[in-house]
């Protein structure tokens, strides 16, 4: 456990906060969860940095995929899941392609995002996509301007998807409801208002 | 006429039919011209978006994608599609479920609720790979279908990430400096150009476009600068989401960073449509945020 | 033989604790008590370390006191301590082949560490099985065979040369076989050696001359091993002397050409119209169709590349009266008899272009370390001036990429550490600092492995000289198409920041892999390899020079990556090991020979083609046709015994009744 | 189908140079596997008379494993080829006498494949556990 200092001045307390790594602070289950969801042996990371060196997000942010791998190995769950950098991976898979340990850091990141969502940590745009799909079957649904354009092209106004066949929507909703995804999305979005 | 044609269930996705319907129209027409019939995959949904759904809960992603595959299984057909994001979802989930019994059982448990079962009888293909595959179309046949060669146009190729990577699972080989799409572009009479960091991401994936658009646009901007450095008339890609990012992204880049590019962005099927003699109107090129006119002037 | 039956078996069982290695898992007391109940067992004892002197004495004493007919030791693996306990058995006055071992460590306590009950029960079975066999064991006498007083070394690199010199200097005639036209190997391609910075050629050339001049060494360059027969002491090795197209002065004399043969003058190469890339310079310099690799070759004899030669005959003309060039020469096969063999097959560079991200062969200014060695070497294609291949300019910023293809688990590269790349890259950094004013070497590394004598000190020195170390593996390299400069992308993991470094030249410290011919050669000699293709030593700690084929030894990188000092050290070890049987003059072969039980043999002859060594033949005896074994040829595999339809072959020490007794003891004996 | 107290009795006849060495290597690496197999060492799988295996089944063995060198790696050049041929024939004999031929397995494990030896052991035990006790067991006594 970190040393308790009880400085009254909040700013000072933050500045002089104990930043050591304490083993009891780590969650040994975290790496197992990441490996199970991400289906990659993340604990085999040897921190060469090939991933960060390949990352299009790293040069323009503080996002370091290598550090996320490190935090996974050390069980620093809290630190990893609450870091907003987690959401800067564009999932380009360059790191996965080049990883000399044959790991999939991208999938480890996806696993951590899944775990973050379980704690209601998730950017709003992701949830809005869920709502759109629940409503129409599409993450980017049709609109009037597009309908007009489609007509001009000789296509039907609605594509041969759930747009034209809304009878397929209940099945999709059933799947989403099975995982209570819509419910959670609505709730988290409402709480964020 | 189409008796000997290859037939595929055409998975549309979201952005092609709902934002760039020209891609849909072009894909159907241009494929027919080279011996591929694309049949409607009725009731398909969003693939679903690999970045968004994969980030929230991979299980939902597997189940939703599997539902789309099952629709094709019920038609007894393989899937063809025009979007890298869709490829990532549909191809990868299909592949994973075929090779992982535990995952497949889990998905089928959910699909049972809607009277569906994933059987693993369909394959998934990107149209671009079918065009390149000599067993289906091949570069030679593609070139023969060209009525109006795009001579003189310098075109930068953007492969996009989710088609070929992670390469360990895929079948495309070299992902550091692939050249097969350049061959597809050259078949149309245009000149494919090489530029710095060709395989870099467009920046939009993984939900980053929605989460931090400036961050996403900065990646796009870098890529556009690298392309312009060698002098190009257009960018081509095989992913409507990348297209959205490059096309509308240029407007957003101007708004946010004050940088102006004006690079026309065309899906390969739109490029193929032009080469096969389709008119800009038949391809709804006016829906592009960045005017395609300069490019058309060069080739028409 | 079958008729030599044991009257009444009296077996002693000895259980080893091996400290806690065995006793930590297996209940030794319980096994001992159980052993006492097994039929024929008259004594059961245990000791902390049976292989120790007191442990061995226990065995010897018990044999005498209890009048034992057989001994069972339950301990580690017979592959480790069978000889030890055979000696102890012998010391007790019993024939050493009346010993049988039960493996309760390597194949029991170590692999069932968390299942003590099951392991104990398995140990009881193992002891019972061993006792069953020991009860039926018989006296056997090892066969002594004379050892041919010659040795062979395959591979003429520094390891092979050292082994050959040691053997030769120990008075043993040694054939040194090298597939290339010259000896010298990889070391002759290097410029300097770490950490002493000796000139590689300078320290190698005297050795090459020594080899060439040594009366006990028969140097066979441009020669490959074609076939191997026989066994320790008596290998018949067939060699292919590839058609060289040029004859030596000695060969000329044999042909009756007075004062003829190649003197290495080079007139032939001067007139030869065919130009090919020189593989010694990694294709960076030309050679002719008639060529030598470099001026210091040994032997100094030219070679015709018949794949390239157009047979114009200009070389023959220019050679004149020496008549050294013979364009009609054909490959020759020769067979030599040797007692022992040292394999020093060396290594190749991993084809690093397979790692697409670094752009080797795609970008002009990305080179391998071996190419760097040639470029920085004064006798190399540029006279020692390091230049960029794209424009010939002198590079001012040079990046060294370590672990290029090593420590790579993707299935493309190599999972192991190639072991000398760190050190030679440090040396490279030193060399450019020395030669190019104002140059900055950037070394991209994951770990600097400077483990040898004076190696860490060398690292200290190079850091002091100004090399910049960046702790991060290179993610990819991009070429600026205009300047042909390279952008090296990595993460400086210590800074925690991505790095895009523009440099003039990139040197990839490419992984190494077994030489292309290793697989073929090892199969000829019956030597195993580990999963990565390096040859497998008999024991990684205790017998690193030996192999599972008696009489065949390993030297140098073919056994696993190692630097020059380690290669030379192992070569000396291998030479020493290879000289022992030769100096003893004879070796004992384990008496695991097949014997024909003539009363059962029907003379059908079906066993004869089964034998890979042609040791079996049908003979007439007392008016019957029966099979007869030539013991000297029999290696004891037992393939004939596994086949004989009449059960008429007695495989000594692995006889049918002995094996059946083991099977029965396991399945029918014990607690059912 | 198996009674609760049943533990499979599996015998492995393995060659000295490859599989026995591989099994030792597994030990050195502390690779853990089920303890149901007892090994008998021969110099070469070529030594293995099919009668040994039939005898083992007659004695009530639930499974027999024969393991040797990879093809081309045999210490005696080709003993493993001959063994493989014999095992192939023997399998058809087993089928004919009503024994599931999965009870006899031939594998190739080299001296450097400790981990593979572990997985072979695990897999063989799994197979035999699934097959249950040998139907010949009751005649064995």
């Amino acid at each position: 456990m970190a040393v308790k200092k009880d400085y009254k001045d909040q700013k000072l307390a933050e500045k002089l906060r104990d930043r050591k790594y304490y083993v009891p602070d780590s969650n040994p289950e975290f790496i197992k969860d990441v490996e199970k969801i991400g289906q990659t042996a993340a604990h085999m990371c040897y921190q060469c940095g090939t991933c960060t060196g390949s990352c299009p997000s790293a040069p323009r942010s503080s996002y370091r995929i290598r550090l996320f791998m490190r935090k996974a190995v050390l069980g620093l769950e809290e630190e990893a899941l609450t870091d907003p950098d987690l959401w800067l991976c564009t999932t380009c898979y360059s790191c996965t392609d080049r990883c000399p340990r044959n790991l999939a850091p991208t999938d480890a990141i996806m696993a951590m995002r899944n775990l973050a969502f379980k704690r209601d940590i998730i950017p709003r745009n992701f949830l809005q996509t869920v709502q759109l799909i629940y409503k129409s079957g599409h993450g980017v649904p049709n609109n009037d301007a597009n309908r007009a354009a489609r007509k001009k092209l000789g296509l039907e106004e609605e594509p041969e998807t759930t747009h034209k066949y809304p009878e397929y929507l209940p099945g999709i909703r059933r799947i989403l409801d099975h995982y209570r995804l819509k419910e959670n999305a609505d709730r988290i979005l409402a709480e964020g208002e | 006429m189409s008796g000997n044609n290859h037939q595929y269930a055409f998975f549309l996705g979201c952005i092609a039919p709902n934002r760039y319907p020209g891609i849909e129209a072009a894909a159907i027409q241009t494929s027919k011209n080279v011996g591929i019939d694309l049949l409607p995959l009725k009731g398909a949904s969003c693939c679903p978006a690999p970045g968004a759904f994969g980030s929230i809960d991979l299980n939902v992603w597997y189940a939703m994608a599997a539902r789309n595959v099952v629709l094709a299984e019920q038609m007894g057909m393989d899937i063809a599609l025009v979007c890298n994001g869709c490829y990532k979802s549909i191809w990868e989930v299909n592949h994973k479920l075929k090779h992982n019994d535990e995952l497949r059982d889990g998905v089928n448990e959910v699909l049972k609720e809607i009277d569906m079962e994933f059987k693993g009888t369909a394959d998934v293909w990107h149209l671009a790979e079918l065009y390149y595959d000599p067993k289906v179309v091949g570069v030679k046949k593609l070139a023969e279908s060209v009525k109006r060669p795009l001579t003189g146009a310098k075109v930068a190729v953007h492969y996009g990430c989710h088609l070929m990577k992670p390469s360990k699972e895929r079948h495309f080989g070299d992902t550091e400096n692939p050249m097969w799409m350049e061959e597809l572009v050259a078949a149309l009479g245009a000149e494919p150009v090489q530029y710095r960091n060709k395989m870099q991401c467009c920046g939009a994936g993984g939900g980053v476009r929605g989460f931090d658009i400036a961050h996403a646009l900065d990646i796009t901007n870098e890529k556009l600068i690298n392309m312009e450095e060698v002098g190009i008339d257009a960018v081509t890609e095989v992913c409507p989401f990348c297209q959205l990012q490059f096309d509308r992204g240029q407007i957003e880049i101007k708004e946010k960073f004050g940088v102006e590019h004006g690079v026309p962005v065309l899906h390969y099927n739109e490029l193929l449509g032009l080469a096969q003699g389709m008119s800009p109107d038949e391809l709804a090129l006016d829906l592009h945020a960045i005017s395609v006119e300069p490019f058309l002037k060069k080739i028409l | 033989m079958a008729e030599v039956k044991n009257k009444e078996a009296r077996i002693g069982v000895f259980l080893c604790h091996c400290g806690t290695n065995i006793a930590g898992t297996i209940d030794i007391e319980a096994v001992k008590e159980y052993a006492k109940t097994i039929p024929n067992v008259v004594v059961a004892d245990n000791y902390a370390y049976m292989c120790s002197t007191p442990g061995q004495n226990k065995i010897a004493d018990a044999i005498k006191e209890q009048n034992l007919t057989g001994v069972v030791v339950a301990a580690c693996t017979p592959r480790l301590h069978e000889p030890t306990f055979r000696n102890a058995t012998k010391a007790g006055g019993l024939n050493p082949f009346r010993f049988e071992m039960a493996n309760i460590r390597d194949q029991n306590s170590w692999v069932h560490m968390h299942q003590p009950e099951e392991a104990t029960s398995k140990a009881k079975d193992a002891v019972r099985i061993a006792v069953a066999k020991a009860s039926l064991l018989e006296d056997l006498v090892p066969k002594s065979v004379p050892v041919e007083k010659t040795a062979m070394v395959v591979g003429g690199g520094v390891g092979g040369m050292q082994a050959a010199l040691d053997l030769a200097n120990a008075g043993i005639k040694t054939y040194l076989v090298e597939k290339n036209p010259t000896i010298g190997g990889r070391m002759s391609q290097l410029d300097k050696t770490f950490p002493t910075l000796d000139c590689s050629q300078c320290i190698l050339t005297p050795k090459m001359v020594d080899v060439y001049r040594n009366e006990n060494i028969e140097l066979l360059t441009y020669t490959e091993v074609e076939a191997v027969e026989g066994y320790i002491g008596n290998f018949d090795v067939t060699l292919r002397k590839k058609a060289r197209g040029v004859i030596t002065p000695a060969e000329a004399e044999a042909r009756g050409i007075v004062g003829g043969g190649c003197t290495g003058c080079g007139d032939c190469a001067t007139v030869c119209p065919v130009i090919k890339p020189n593989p010694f310079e990694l294709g960076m310099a030309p050679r002719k169709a008639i060529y030598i690799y470099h001026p210091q070759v040994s032997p100094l004899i030219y070679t015709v590349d018949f794949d390239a030669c157009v047979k114009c005959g200009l070389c023959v003309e220019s050679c004149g009266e020496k008549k050294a060039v013979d364009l009609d020469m054909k490959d020759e096969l020769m067979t030599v008899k040797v007692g022992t063999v040292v394999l020093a097959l060396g290594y190749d560079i991993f084809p690093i272009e397979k790692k697409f991200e670094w752009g080797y062969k795609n970008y002009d200014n990305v080179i391998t370390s071996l190419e760097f060695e040639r470029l920085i070497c004064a006798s190399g294609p540029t006279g020692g001036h390091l230049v960029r291949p794209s424009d010939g300019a002198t590079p001012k910023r040079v990046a060294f990429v370590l672990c290029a293809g090593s420590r790579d688990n993707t299935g493309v590269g190599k999972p192991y550490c190639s072991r000398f790349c760190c050190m030679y890259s440090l040396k490279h950094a030193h060399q450019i600092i020395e030669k190019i004013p104002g140059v900055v070497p950037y070394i991209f590394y994951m770990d600097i492995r400077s483990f040898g004598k004076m190696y860490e000190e060398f690292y200290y020195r190079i850091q002091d000289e100004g090399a910049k170390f960046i702790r991060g593996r290179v993610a990819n390299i991009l070429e600026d198409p205009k300047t042909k400069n390279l952008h090296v992308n990595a993460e400086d993991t210590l800074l925690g920041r991505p790095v895009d470094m523009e440099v003039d030249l990139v040197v990839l410290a490419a992984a190494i892999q077994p030489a292309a011919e290793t697989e073929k050669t090892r199969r000829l000699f019956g030597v195993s390899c580990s999963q990565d293709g390096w040859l497998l030593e008999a024991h990684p700690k205790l017998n690193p020079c030996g192999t599972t084929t008696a009489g065949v030894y390993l030297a140098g990188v073919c056994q696993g990556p190692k630097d020059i000092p380690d290669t030379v050290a192992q070569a000396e070890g291998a030479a020493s090991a290879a000289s022992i049987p030769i100096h003893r003059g004879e070796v004992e072969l384990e008496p695991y020979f097949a014997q024909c039980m003539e009363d059962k043999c029907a003379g059908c002859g079906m066993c004869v083609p089964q034998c890979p060594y042609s040791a079996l033949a049908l003979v007439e005896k007392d008016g019957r046709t029966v099979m007869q074994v030539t013991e000297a040829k029999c290696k004891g595999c037992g393939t004939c015994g596994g086949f004989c339809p009449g059960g008429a072959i007695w495989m000594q020490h692995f006889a049918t009744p002995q094996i059946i007794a083991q099977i029965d003891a396991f399945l029918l004996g014990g607690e059912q | 189908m198996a009674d609760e107290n049943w533990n499979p009795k599996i015998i492995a006849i393995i060659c000295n140079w490859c599989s026995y060495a591989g099994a030792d290597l597994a030990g050195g690496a502390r690779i853990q596997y089920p303890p149901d197999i007892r090994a008998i060492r021969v110099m070469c799988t070529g030594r293995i008379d099919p009668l040994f295996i039939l005898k083992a089944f007659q004695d009530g063995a639930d499974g027999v494993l024969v393991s040797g060198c990879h093809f081309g790696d045999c210490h005696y050049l080709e003993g493993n080829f001959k063994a493989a041929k014999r095992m192939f024939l023997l399998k058809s004999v087993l089928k004919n006498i009503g024994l599931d031929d999965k009870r006899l397995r031939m594998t190739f494990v080299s001296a450097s494949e400790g981990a593979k030896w572990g997985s072979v052991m695990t897999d063989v035990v799994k197979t035999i556990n699934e097959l249950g006790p040998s139907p010949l067991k009751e005649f064995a006594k």
Side-chain angles (χ1 to χ4, degrees), chain C residues 598-619:
Chain C
E598 286 167 9
D599 52 331
K600 287 190 184 170
C601 178
C604 70
M606 288 171 78
C607 54
V608 174
Q610 291 285 313
C611 179
Y613 306 107
S614 313
L616 312 181
L618 291 181
V619 292

Side-chain angles (χ1 to χ4, degrees), chain C residues 17-89:
Chain C
H17 297 212
C18 197
T20 57
N21 277 313
I22 295 170
T25 303
I26 291 169
D27 183 346
I28 296 285
E29 274 304 316
V31 180
K32 185 166 86 175
E33 290 312 310
Y34 171 76
K36 288 177 181 165
T37 69
I38 300 172
N40 296 339
V41 173
V42 294
V43 57
D45 202 353
N46 60 312
Y47 191 67
Y49 295 99
M50 283 309 302
C51 57
S52 66
T53 308
Q56 293 191 51
N57 287 343
K58 264 180 186 286
I59 297 170
D61 293 346
I63 292 170
K64 288 177 197 142
E65 285 161 18
Q66 301 285 341
N67 197 22
L68 299 181
T69 64
V71 172
V72 167
V73 174
C76 50
T77 164
R79 297 179 70 260
L80 188 63
H81 269 318
E82 194 173 58
T84 314
F85 295 122
R86 275 188 178 158
N87 282 337
T89 306

Side-chain angles (χ1 to χ4, degrees), chain A residues 25-91:
Chain A
D25 292 345
S26 83
N27 174 10
E29 295 303 310
F30 183 45
I31 182 74
K32 291 182 194 157
D33 291 343
V34 168
E35 294 198 346
K36 188 162 181 292
I37 300 171
Q39 297 180 349
T40 184
H43 71 284
M44 292 307 296
C45 174
Y46 59 19
Q47 293 285 302
C48 64
T50 302
C51 44
T52 310
S54 304
C55 181
S57 279
R60 40 185 60 79
S61 70
S62 55
Y63 170 55
R64 301 287 175 267
I65 185 160
R66 177 184 56 80
L67 278 179
F68 278 95
M69 296 298 280
R70 186 85 192 126
K71 285 167 185 172
V73 171
L74 292 177
L76 295 172
E77 183 178 11
E78 189 68 29
E79 221 172 287
L81 300 189
T82 56
D83 186 344
D85 285 350
L86 181 59
W87 305 92
L88 285 179
C89 170
T90 67
T91 66

Side-chain angles (χ1 to χ4, degrees), chain A residues 103-150:
Chain A
L103 308 177
T106 319
D107 290 340
I109 289 291
M110 295 304 266
M112 283 183 229
R113 288 182 176 184
N114 278 210
L115 291 167
F117 173 66
K118 284 188 182 147
R119 299 172 160 214
D120 290 356
I121 304 170
I122 184 137
R124 300 174 67 80
N125 60 301
F126 290 79
L127 302 174
Q128 284 152 357
T129 308
V130 173
Q131 287 180 327
L132 285 170
I133 290 182
Y134 196 86
K135 196 169 155 214
S136 68
H138 282 285
V140 182
N142 210 349
N143 58 30
D144 285 339
N146 191 63
R147 286 190 191 94
R150 291 184 63 88

Side-chain angles (χ1 to χ4, degrees), chain C residues 640-654:
Chain C
C640 52
F643 189 72
C644 176
I649 292 172
W650 182 264
M651 254 335 288
Q652 291 186 166
H653 211 67
F654 292 93

Side-chain angles (χ1 to χ4, degrees), chain B residues 132 139 142 159 179-188 192 268:
Chain B
Y132 189 69
V139 174
L142 207 62
Y159 281 79
M179 291 301 283
W180 61 274
M181 268 182 69
E182 276 83 345
E183 285 182 53
L184 291 182
V185 168
L188 311 185
Y268 182 74

